[in-house]
Amino acid sequence: MEVIALLMSRLLGSAIVLMSCIIKLPQIMALLRSKSAEGLSLTGFETELVAYTLTFAYGLHFKLPFTGYGEAIIMSVQDVFLLALIYKYAETPMSHVGIATALYAGGLAVLLSGQLGDEVMRVLSGASFVTIMFARLPQIYANFVAKGTGQLSIFSYLITVFGGSVRIFTSYTDNAGFTMVVGYCMSTTLNFIIALQILFYGSGKKAPAKGKTPAKKAKAKPFSPKAAAKKAPAKKDDSGDEDSSSDEEPESAVRRRRRTKRA
């Protein structure tokens, strides 16, 4: 049974390494197509890159089978390309890009130098899964607040969830350590939550129904006194008639008096 389990572990590990070559491709294509980094957490992808780097550095240090950590190298390369696109489309300040690049390059050089001891690498391995947790939590929170997932790819996350589930089994059979098993359980759970958010929220934008166009608001016509005068009905000036009649009465009385005097 141990031989069968080990053989299955190697086969599944090889399958994950091959699958990892296309895990990030849908996400990269979505970014290139939309030319927008909407919905993507910059902090999440940066911390994810750190987590994958610590994972493959651990595998290289302890000389684990390549099938046990190979996908971390491939995912790191894809994350570097993804971050370059996010920096571009999100118009990230060059100061941030420069500092992040320098820190990553320096940290990678230290990890691959071989100068770190076994205990330090074990601690860093455990830290990698804490890092992946902090990589996923900002993305989960951002999706919850926005009620949408922007340009996140459901295909990428479904493959990641499947690969993480297999990694739990391979880490156990390869005796990779308790921290790696627990770490893969944590990361798989968080990736599963994001996949559910993508399915539930979608992009958060509803496309307008075909054949329907929004009603245009009627423009108010400028006020014209002449037009208002034409439309308004003429009013009879009853008070004017009364005044004229009242004026006529005293004139007739004066004329009568003059006639009587002449007579």
Side-chain angles (χ1 to χ4, degrees):
M1 288 295 294
E2 292 182 2
V3 176
I4 295 175
L6 186 61
L7 179 61
M8 287 183 62
S9 174
R10 294 291 186 273
L11 291 174
L12 289 172
S14 301
I16 292 174
V17 172
L18 290 174
M19 250 191 332
S20 66
C21 297
I22 61 170
I23 283 181
K24 297 289 185 178
L25 284 181
Q27 187 67 75
I28 292 171
M29 295 302 295
L31 272 171
L32 291 173
R33 184 170 56 251
S34 65
K35 298 187 183 302
S36 169
E38 181 187 2
L40 302 182
S41 171
L42 177 60
T43 304
F45 278 94
E46 286 176 336
T47 49
E48 180 184 79
L49 175 60
V50 172
Y52 284 137
T53 303
L54 291 173
T55 300
F56 76 72
Y58 177 88
L60 288 170
H61 180 83
F62 288 100
K63 299 179 180 179
L64 297 177
F66 183 76
T67 54
Y69 65 89
E71 80 279 3
I73 298 176
I74 299 172
M75 298 281 280
S76 296
V77 174
Q78 294 179 52
D79 267 347
V80 168
F81 189 66
L82 263 174
L83 278 171
L85 292 176
I86 294 173
Y87 287 151
K88 177 182 178 182
Y89 296 133
E91 298 181 354
T92 307
M94 290 304 298
S95 58
H96 178 98
V97 177
I99 293 172
T101 304
L103 288 175
Y104 179 73
L108 183 62
V110 172
L111 288 171
L112 300 181
S113 65
Q115 301 300 315
L116 301 178
D118 293 352
E119 288 302 321
V120 175
M121 292 305 299
R122 287 192 180 94
V123 172
L124 291 176
S125 173
S128 69
F129 295 106
V130 177
T131 304
I132 200 71
M133 181 179 69
F134 283 105
R136 293 293 180 255
L137 288 178
Q139 185 68 67
I140 292 172
Y141 179 74
N143 295 341
F144 175 75
V145 172
K147 303 299 181 186
T149 55
Q151 303 302 323
L152 290 178
S153 170
I154 181 61
F155 183 70
S156 293
Y157 275 93
L158 287 177
I159 295 179
T160 304
V161 169
F162 174 75
S165 303
V166 174
R167 268 288 167 243
I168 296 171
F169 171 74
T170 58
S171 298
Y172 177 76
T173 54
D174 289 343
N175 296 319
F178 178 74
T179 55
M180 290 198 74
V181 175
V182 174
Y184 277 122
C185 288
M186 289 172 51
S187 62
T188 302
T189 302
L190 293 173
N191 285 326
F192 181 68
I193 292 173
I194 295 178
L196 289 178
Q197 285 183 319
I198 297 173
L199 292 173
F200 182 74
Y201 292 133
S203 62
K205 296 179 180 179
K206 294 183 180 179
K210 293 182 178 180
K212 292 184 179 181
T213 55
K216 295 182 179 179
K217 293 183 179 180
K219 294 183 179 179
K221 294 182 179 180
F223 176 76
S224 174
K226 293 182 179 180
K230 290 181 180 179
K231 291 183 180 179
K235 293 183 179 180
K236 294 182 179 180
D237 191 0
D238 295 335
S239 60
D241 294 343
E242 290 178 357
D243 292 341
S244 61
S245 61
S246 62
D247 292 339
E248 289 177 358
E249 286 181 0
E251 289 180 2
S252 59
V254 170
R255 288 175 183 176
R256 289 175 185 175
R257 289 175 185 175
R258 289 178 181 177
R259 288 176 184 176
T260 54
K261 286 180 179 181
R262 289 177 182 178

PDB file of all heavy atoms in Angstrom, residues 20-47:
ATOM      1  N   SER A  20       0.079  23.530 -13.458  1.00  0.00           N
ATOM      2  CA  SER A  20       0.454  24.865 -12.989  1.00  0.00           C
ATOM      3  C   SER A  20       0.920  25.769 -14.129  1.00  0.00           C
ATOM      4  O   SER A  20       0.924  26.995 -13.990  1.00  0.00           O
ATOM      5  CB  SER A  20       1.568  24.758 -11.942  1.00  0.00           C
ATOM      6  OG  SER A  20       2.770  24.269 -12.511  1.00  0.00           O
ATOM      7  N   CYS A  21       1.304  25.152 -15.252  1.00  0.00           N
ATOM      8  CA  CYS A  21       1.750  25.952 -16.405  1.00  0.00           C
ATOM      9  C   CYS A  21       0.617  26.788 -16.990  1.00  0.00           C
ATOM     10  O   CYS A  21       0.870  27.795 -17.669  1.00  0.00           O
ATOM     11  CB  CYS A  21       2.337  25.046 -17.481  1.00  0.00           C
ATOM     12  SG  CYS A  21       3.815  24.143 -16.965  1.00  0.00           S
ATOM     13  N   ILE A  22      -0.637  26.381 -16.736  1.00  0.00           N
ATOM     14  CA  ILE A  22      -1.771  27.109 -17.328  1.00  0.00           C
ATOM     15  C   ILE A  22      -2.698  27.700 -16.269  1.00  0.00           C
ATOM     16  O   ILE A  22      -3.712  28.319 -16.609  1.00  0.00           O
ATOM     17  CB  ILE A  22      -2.592  26.183 -18.247  1.00  0.00           C
ATOM     18  CG1 ILE A  22      -3.175  25.005 -17.446  1.00  0.00           C
ATOM     19  CG2 ILE A  22      -1.763  25.687 -19.408  1.00  0.00           C
ATOM     20  CD1 ILE A  22      -4.196  24.188 -18.216  1.00  0.00           C
ATOM     21  N   ILE A  23      -2.362  27.545 -14.980  1.00  0.00           N
ATOM     22  CA  ILE A  23      -3.262  28.039 -13.933  1.00  0.00           C
ATOM     23  C   ILE A  23      -3.493  29.540 -14.040  1.00  0.00           C
ATOM     24  O   ILE A  23      -4.622  30.028 -13.938  1.00  0.00           O
ATOM     25  CB  ILE A  23      -2.711  27.675 -12.534  1.00  0.00           C
ATOM     26  CG1 ILE A  23      -2.963  26.201 -12.234  1.00  0.00           C
ATOM     27  CG2 ILE A  23      -3.363  28.524 -11.451  1.00  0.00           C
ATOM     28  CD1 ILE A  23      -2.474  25.752 -10.873  1.00  0.00           C
ATOM     29  N   LYS A  24      -2.433  30.295 -14.248  1.00  0.00           N
ATOM     30  CA  LYS A  24      -2.537  31.753 -14.268  1.00  0.00           C
ATOM     31  C   LYS A  24      -2.838  32.320 -15.650  1.00  0.00           C
ATOM     32  O   LYS A  24      -3.074  33.522 -15.783  1.00  0.00           O
ATOM     33  CB  LYS A  24      -1.233  32.372 -13.754  1.00  0.00           C
ATOM     34  CG  LYS A  24      -0.907  32.046 -12.307  1.00  0.00           C
ATOM     35  CD  LYS A  24      -1.834  32.765 -11.353  1.00  0.00           C
ATOM     36  CE  LYS A  24      -1.421  32.533  -9.913  1.00  0.00           C
ATOM     37  NZ  LYS A  24      -2.291  33.260  -8.959  1.00  0.00           N
ATOM     38  N   LEU A  25      -2.810  31.468 -16.673  1.00  0.00           N
ATOM     39  CA  LEU A  25      -3.038  31.976 -18.028  1.00  0.00           C
ATOM     40  C   LEU A  25      -4.406  32.646 -18.195  1.00  0.00           C
ATOM     41  O   LEU A  25      -4.492  33.713 -18.818  1.00  0.00           O
ATOM     42  CB  LEU A  25      -2.853  30.854 -19.055  1.00  0.00           C
ATOM     43  CG  LEU A  25      -1.409  30.450 -19.365  1.00  0.00           C
ATOM     44  CD1 LEU A  25      -1.385  29.351 -20.413  1.00  0.00           C
ATOM     45  CD2 LEU A  25      -0.593  31.652 -19.844  1.00  0.00           C
ATOM     46  N   PRO A  26      -5.511  32.057 -17.684  1.00  0.00           N
ATOM     47  CA  PRO A  26      -6.804  32.749 -17.819  1.00  0.00           C
ATOM     48  C   PRO A  26      -6.797  34.127 -17.157  1.00  0.00           C
ATOM     49  O   PRO A  26      -7.385  35.072 -17.681  1.00  0.00           O
ATOM     50  CB  PRO A  26      -7.789  31.800 -17.126  1.00  0.00           C
ATOM     51  CG  PRO A  26      -7.142  30.467 -17.190  1.00  0.00           C
ATOM     52  CD  PRO A  26      -5.678  30.729 -17.078  1.00  0.00           C
ATOM     53  N   GLN A  27      -6.130  34.230 -16.002  1.00  0.00           N
ATOM     54  CA  GLN A  27      -6.056  35.524 -15.326  1.00  0.00           C
ATOM     55  C   GLN A  27      -5.239  36.525 -16.135  1.00  0.00           C
ATOM     56  O   GLN A  27      -5.610  37.698 -16.251  1.00  0.00           O
ATOM     57  CB  GLN A  27      -5.419  35.337 -13.951  1.00  0.00           C
ATOM     58  CG  GLN A  27      -5.450  36.579 -13.082  1.00  0.00           C
ATOM     59  CD  GLN A  27      -6.855  36.956 -12.674  1.00  0.00           C
ATOM     60  OE1 GLN A  27      -7.445  36.326 -11.824  1.00  0.00           O
ATOM     61  NE2 GLN A  27      -7.397  37.992 -13.294  1.00  0.00           N
ATOM     62  N   ILE A  28      -4.139  36.053 -16.713  1.00  0.00           N
ATOM     63  CA  ILE A  28      -3.304  36.933 -17.543  1.00  0.00           C
ATOM     64  C   ILE A  28      -4.073  37.385 -18.784  1.00  0.00           C
ATOM     65  O   ILE A  28      -4.046  38.566 -19.156  1.00  0.00           O
ATOM     66  CB  ILE A  28      -2.009  36.203 -17.943  1.00  0.00           C
ATOM     67  CG1 ILE A  28      -1.121  35.969 -16.706  1.00  0.00           C
ATOM     68  CG2 ILE A  28      -1.232  36.998 -18.997  1.00  0.00           C
ATOM     69  CD1 ILE A  28       0.079  35.079 -16.956  1.00  0.00           C
ATOM     70  N   MET A  29      -4.804  36.456 -19.413  1.00  0.00           N
ATOM     71  CA  MET A  29      -5.583  36.802 -20.599  1.00  0.00           C
ATOM     72  C   MET A  29      -6.695  37.784 -20.262  1.00  0.00           C
ATOM     73  O   MET A  29      -6.997  38.692 -21.055  1.00  0.00           O
ATOM     74  CB  MET A  29      -6.168  35.528 -21.226  1.00  0.00           C
ATOM     75  CG  MET A  29      -5.130  34.560 -21.776  1.00  0.00           C
ATOM     76  SD  MET A  29      -4.061  35.315 -23.024  1.00  0.00           S
ATOM     77  CE  MET A  29      -5.246  35.668 -24.317  1.00  0.00           C
ATOM     78  N   ALA A  30      -7.320  37.616 -19.092  1.00  0.00           N
ATOM     79  CA  ALA A  30      -8.376  38.546 -18.685  1.00  0.00           C
ATOM     80  C   ALA A  30      -7.832  39.956 -18.510  1.00  0.00           C
ATOM     81  O   ALA A  30      -8.468  40.940 -18.891  1.00  0.00           O
ATOM     82  CB  ALA A  30      -9.024  38.057 -17.389  1.00  0.00           C
ATOM     83  N   LEU A  31      -6.636  40.062 -17.949  1.00  0.00           N
ATOM     84  CA  LEU A  31      -6.006  41.380 -17.785  1.00  0.00           C
ATOM     85  C   LEU A  31      -5.652  42.008 -19.121  1.00  0.00           C
ATOM     86  O   LEU A  31      -5.895  43.195 -19.352  1.00  0.00           O
ATOM     87  CB  LEU A  31      -4.753  41.249 -16.919  1.00  0.00           C
ATOM     88  CG  LEU A  31      -4.933  41.365 -15.409  1.00  0.00           C
ATOM     89  CD1 LEU A  31      -3.639  41.004 -14.699  1.00  0.00           C
ATOM     90  CD2 LEU A  31      -5.368  42.762 -15.020  1.00  0.00           C
ATOM     91  N   LEU A  32      -5.069  41.215 -20.015  1.00  0.00           N
ATOM     92  CA  LEU A  32      -4.675  41.748 -21.324  1.00  0.00           C
ATOM     93  C   LEU A  32      -5.898  42.151 -22.144  1.00  0.00           C
ATOM     94  O   LEU A  32      -5.852  43.121 -22.899  1.00  0.00           O
ATOM     95  CB  LEU A  32      -3.864  40.689 -22.085  1.00  0.00           C
ATOM     96  CG  LEU A  32      -2.466  40.380 -21.529  1.00  0.00           C
ATOM     97  CD1 LEU A  32      -1.846  39.198 -22.264  1.00  0.00           C
ATOM     98  CD2 LEU A  32      -1.561  41.609 -21.643  1.00  0.00           C
ATOM     99  N   ARG A  33      -6.983  41.403 -21.984  1.00  0.00           N
ATOM    100  CA  ARG A  33      -8.197  41.698 -22.750  1.00  0.00           C
ATOM    101  C   ARG A  33      -8.903  42.950 -22.237  1.00  0.00           C
ATOM    102  O   ARG A  33      -9.351  43.788 -23.018  1.00  0.00           O
ATOM    103  CB  ARG A  33      -9.139  40.496 -22.693  1.00  0.00           C
ATOM    104  CG  ARG A  33     -10.411  40.652 -23.532  1.00  0.00           C
ATOM    105  CD  ARG A  33     -11.170  39.348 -23.631  1.00  0.00           C
ATOM    106  NE  ARG A  33     -11.485  38.804 -22.323  1.00  0.00           N
ATOM    107  CZ  ARG A  33     -10.915  37.729 -21.803  1.00  0.00           C
ATOM    108  NH1 ARG A  33      -9.967  37.087 -22.474  1.00  0.00           N
ATOM    109  NH2 ARG A  33     -11.262  37.287 -20.601  1.00  0.00           N
ATOM    110  N   SER A  34      -9.009  43.084 -20.931  1.00  0.00           N
ATOM    111  CA  SER A  34      -9.744  44.214 -20.352  1.00  0.00           C
ATOM    112  C   SER A  34      -8.879  45.456 -20.156  1.00  0.00           C
ATOM    113  O   SER A  34      -9.402  46.563 -20.032  1.00  0.00           O
ATOM    114  CB  SER A  34     -10.337  43.810 -19.004  1.00  0.00           C
ATOM    115  OG  SER A  34      -9.309  43.533 -18.071  1.00  0.00           O
ATOM    116  N   LYS A  35      -7.555  45.238 -20.085  1.00  0.00           N
ATOM    117  CA  LYS A  35      -6.619  46.340 -19.807  1.00  0.00           C
ATOM    118  C   LYS A  35      -7.031  47.088 -18.532  1.00  0.00           C
ATOM    119  O   LYS A  35      -6.959  48.318 -18.446  1.00  0.00           O
ATOM    120  CB  LYS A  35      -6.532  47.303 -20.993  1.00  0.00           C
ATOM    121  CG  LYS A  35      -6.010  46.649 -22.266  1.00  0.00           C
ATOM    122  CD  LYS A  35      -5.782  47.664 -23.358  1.00  0.00           C
ATOM    123  CE  LYS A  35      -5.335  46.981 -24.651  1.00  0.00           C
ATOM    124  NZ  LYS A  35      -4.116  46.192 -24.480  1.00  0.00           N
ATOM    125  N   SER A  36      -7.479  46.322 -17.564  1.00  0.00           N
ATOM    126  CA  SER A  36      -7.918  46.890 -16.291  1.00  0.00           C
ATOM    127  C   SER A  36      -7.535  45.945 -15.161  1.00  0.00           C
ATOM    128  O   SER A  36      -7.643  44.727 -15.304  1.00  0.00           O
ATOM    129  CB  SER A  36      -9.432  47.112 -16.309  1.00  0.00           C
ATOM    130  OG  SER A  36      -9.907  47.416 -15.010  1.00  0.00           O
ATOM    131  N   ALA A  37      -7.092  46.519 -14.049  1.00  0.00           N
ATOM    132  CA  ALA A  37      -6.752  45.727 -12.859  1.00  0.00           C
ATOM    133  C   ALA A  37      -7.853  45.804 -11.817  1.00  0.00           C
ATOM    134  O   ALA A  37      -7.627  45.553 -10.637  1.00  0.00           O
ATOM    135  CB  ALA A  37      -5.438  46.211 -12.265  1.00  0.00           C
ATOM    136  N   GLU A  38      -9.060  46.130 -12.262  1.00  0.00           N
ATOM    137  CA  GLU A  38     -10.187  46.274 -11.338  1.00  0.00           C
ATOM    138  C   GLU A  38     -10.466  44.960 -10.608  1.00  0.00           C
ATOM    139  O   GLU A  38     -10.525  43.898 -11.213  1.00  0.00           O
ATOM    140  CB  GLU A  38     -11.435  46.711 -12.106  1.00  0.00           C
ATOM    141  CG  GLU A  38     -12.655  46.905 -11.212  1.00  0.00           C
ATOM    142  CD  GLU A  38     -13.907  47.165 -12.015  1.00  0.00           C
ATOM    143  OE1 GLU A  38     -13.827  47.149 -13.258  1.00  0.00           O
ATOM    144  OE2 GLU A  38     -14.956  47.370 -11.394  1.00  0.00           O
ATOM    145  N   GLY A  39     -10.656  45.047  -9.312  1.00  0.00           N
ATOM    146  CA  GLY A  39     -10.994  43.880  -8.515  1.00  0.00           C
ATOM    147  C   GLY A  39      -9.813  43.056  -8.054  1.00  0.00           C
ATOM    148  O   GLY A  39      -9.988  42.101  -7.297  1.00  0.00           O
ATOM    149  N   LEU A  40      -8.594  43.399  -8.504  1.00  0.00           N
ATOM    150  CA  LEU A  40      -7.410  42.624  -8.140  1.00  0.00           C
ATOM    151  C   LEU A  40      -6.670  43.330  -6.997  1.00  0.00           C
ATOM    152  O   LEU A  40      -6.397  44.525  -7.074  1.00  0.00           O
ATOM    153  CB  LEU A  40      -6.471  42.467  -9.340  1.00  0.00           C
ATOM    154  CG  LEU A  40      -7.082  41.802 -10.577  1.00  0.00           C
ATOM    155  CD1 LEU A  40      -6.030  41.666 -11.664  1.00  0.00           C
ATOM    156  CD2 LEU A  40      -7.662  40.444 -10.246  1.00  0.00           C
ATOM    157  N   SER A  41      -6.369  42.571  -5.965  1.00  0.00           N
ATOM    158  CA  SER A  41      -5.664  43.124  -4.807  1.00  0.00           C
ATOM    159  C   SER A  41      -4.159  43.074  -5.057  1.00  0.00           C
ATOM    160  O   SER A  41      -3.574  41.993  -5.165  1.00  0.00           O
ATOM    161  CB  SER A  41      -6.021  42.323  -3.548  1.00  0.00           C
ATOM    162  OG  SER A  41      -5.200  42.705  -2.467  1.00  0.00           O
ATOM    163  N   LEU A  42      -3.545  44.244  -5.159  1.00  0.00           N
ATOM    164  CA  LEU A  42      -2.099  44.318  -5.387  1.00  0.00           C
ATOM    165  C   LEU A  42      -1.343  43.667  -4.236  1.00  0.00           C
ATOM    166  O   LEU A  42      -0.410  42.884  -4.446  1.00  0.00           O
ATOM    167  CB  LEU A  42      -1.675  45.775  -5.556  1.00  0.00           C
ATOM    168  CG  LEU A  42      -0.175  46.042  -5.738  1.00  0.00           C
ATOM    169  CD1 LEU A  42       0.340  45.326  -6.977  1.00  0.00           C
ATOM    170  CD2 LEU A  42       0.088  47.535  -5.818  1.00  0.00           C
ATOM    171  N   THR A  43      -1.754  43.971  -3.013  1.00  0.00           N
ATOM    172  CA  THR A  43      -1.113  43.371  -1.836  1.00  0.00           C
ATOM    173  C   THR A  43      -1.256  41.861  -1.851  1.00  0.00           C
ATOM    174  O   THR A  43      -0.322  41.134  -1.495  1.00  0.00           O
ATOM    175  CB  THR A  43      -1.740  43.940  -0.551  1.00  0.00           C
ATOM    176  OG1 THR A  43      -1.648  45.360  -0.566  1.00  0.00           O
ATOM    177  CG2 THR A  43      -1.037  43.400   0.687  1.00  0.00           C
ATOM    178  N   GLY A  44      -2.415  41.378  -2.286  1.00  0.00           N
ATOM    179  CA  GLY A  44      -2.654  39.941  -2.332  1.00  0.00           C
ATOM    180  C   GLY A  44      -1.703  39.221  -3.273  1.00  0.00           C
ATOM    181  O   GLY A  44      -1.128  38.178  -2.919  1.00  0.00           O
ATOM    182  N   PHE A  45      -1.495  39.777  -4.466  1.00  0.00           N
ATOM    183  CA  PHE A  45      -0.617  39.129  -5.434  1.00  0.00           C
ATOM    184  C   PHE A  45       0.854  39.243  -5.030  1.00  0.00           C
ATOM    185  O   PHE A  45       1.650  38.351  -5.306  1.00  0.00           O
ATOM    186  CB  PHE A  45      -0.844  39.712  -6.833  1.00  0.00           C
ATOM    187  CG  PHE A  45      -2.027  39.118  -7.536  1.00  0.00           C
ATOM    188  CD1 PHE A  45      -3.268  39.735  -7.478  1.00  0.00           C
ATOM    189  CD2 PHE A  45      -1.912  37.930  -8.237  1.00  0.00           C
ATOM    190  CE1 PHE A  45      -4.375  39.175  -8.107  1.00  0.00           C
ATOM    191  CE2 PHE A  45      -3.004  37.366  -8.873  1.00  0.00           C
ATOM    192  CZ  PHE A  45      -4.239  37.989  -8.808  1.00  0.00           C
ATOM    193  N   GLU A  46       1.222  40.347  -4.399  1.00  0.00           N
ATOM    194  CA  GLU A  46       2.608  40.490  -3.940  1.00  0.00           C
ATOM    195  C   GLU A  46       2.930  39.480  -2.833  1.00  0.00           C
ATOM    196  O   GLU A  46       3.985  38.834  -2.857  1.00  0.00           O
ATOM    197  CB  GLU A  46       2.835  41.912  -3.435  1.00  0.00           C
ATOM    198  CG  GLU A  46       2.925  42.944  -4.545  1.00  0.00           C
ATOM    199  CD  GLU A  46       3.052  44.360  -4.036  1.00  0.00           C
ATOM    200  OE1 GLU A  46       2.630  44.620  -2.888  1.00  0.00           O
ATOM    201  OE2 GLU A  46       3.568  45.229  -4.772  1.00  0.00           O
ATOM    202  N   THR A  47       2.030  39.331  -1.873  1.00  0.00           N
ATOM    203  CA  THR A  47       2.257  38.369  -0.790  1.00  0.00           C
ATOM    204  C   THR A  47       2.173  36.934  -1.300  1.00  0.00           C
ATOM    205  O   THR A  47       2.866  36.045  -0.795  1.00  0.00           O
ATOM    206  CB  THR A  47       1.254  38.584   0.350  1.00  0.00           C
ATOM    207  OG1 THR A  47      -0.067  38.667  -0.186  1.00  0.00           O
ATOM    208  CG2 THR A  47       1.554  39.854   1.112  1.00  0.00           C
TER     209      THR A  47
END
